[in-house]
Amino acid sequence: TGGSSTNGVLTFGAVSQTNSAHVNGTPTFARFSTSGGTAVADIDIGAGAGNLQFTGTVVNGQNVTVTGLTLTAGN
């Protein structure tokens, strides 16, 4: 289970991506998918812009961890 949903708000706990699953660089999107690998949604990422905020770069050999995430349904 990826998270819980209440009144149009989807809340995730900590999520990690292991260091073998990414390459060096700055991410531009996050993909939410089913456990079978089917894409459900792509969310844009930006430094100071975008739906998800990210600063810095991803370095191969280092895990990427999100400590918490909340998505709110639009009107």
Side-chain angles (χ1 to χ4, degrees), residues 1 5 9-11 14 19 23 25 28 31-32 36 38 41 46-48 51-52 56 59 61 63-64 68-69 74:
T1 303
S5 177
V9 178
L10 179 58
T11 302
N19 61 37
V23 297
T28 57
R31 174 163 288 156
F32 294 88
T38 302
N51 288 305
L52 294 176
V59 178
N63 292 339
V64 176
L69 176 66

Side-chain angles (χ1 to χ4, degrees), residues 18-57:
T18 61
N19 61 37
S20 61
H22 60 261
V23 297
N24 295 336
T26 301
T28 57
F29 73 96
R31 174 163 288 156
F32 294 88
S33 59
T34 67
S35 59
T38 302
V40 175
D42 290 341
I43 308 292
D44 61 318
I45 297 175
N51 288 305
L52 294 176
Q53 302 299 304
F54 184 89
T55 56
T57 58

